[in-house]
Amino acid sequence: MCKIAVIGDYDSVYGFAALGIEIFPVSDPVAAGEKLHRLATEYGVIYITEHLAAGLQSEIEKYADRVTPAIIQIPGTSGNTGEGIRGVRRCVEKAVGSDILFGS
């Protein structure tokens, strides 16, 4: 079974601990980038808040063509930017060749 981690500000990630998911509270983009690279060697799935991911796009792109880790953006306490669902949509399009979630 793969390990799952969540990166983001404390208020956005602390609830995941109740689900048994390891949390890594980080609010600084530089520290988050370093944490992402360290976690990428051990975790199969890494959730990251959309707000934090916005400043780490080049870092996240480094893992786009790898099977693991799957880096998935989630809304945080600062709100939903919609980037998380756009990311899932791009992955589905890449996997199946068309947009089956929302129609073409």
Side-chain angles (χ1 to χ4, degrees):
M1 178 180 268
C2 71
K3 292 168 57 174
I4 301 173
V6 181
I7 304 173
D9 62 279
Y10 180 80
D11 290 339
S12 296
V13 302
Y14 76 91
F16 287 91
L19 301 172
I21 298 173
E22 293 186 60
I23 63 169
F24 297 90
V26 180
S27 56
D28 175 58
V30 173
E34 293 168 0
K35 181 63 72 176
L36 176 66
H37 291 305
R38 275 187 257 132
L39 296 177
T41 62
E42 295 179 44
Y43 290 81
V45 177
I46 301 172
Y47 292 103
I48 186 168
T49 59
E50 293 172 336
H51 177 73
L52 199 53
L56 297 173
Q57 286 306 314
S58 63
E59 301 301 314
I60 292 170
E61 292 286 326
K62 293 177 183 177
Y63 301 98
D65 293 332
R66 297 185 186 182
V67 174
T68 59
I71 301 173
I72 303 165
Q73 294 184 38
I74 58 172
T77 57
S78 60
N80 183 355
T81 66
E83 188 54 38
I85 193 66
R86 284 190 289 275
V88 170
R89 186 178 189 178
R90 284 190 299 269
C91 289
V92 170
E93 287 176 1
K94 184 177 177 181
V96 299
S98 68
D99 185 355
I100 63 169
L101 295 176
F102 302 101
S104 297

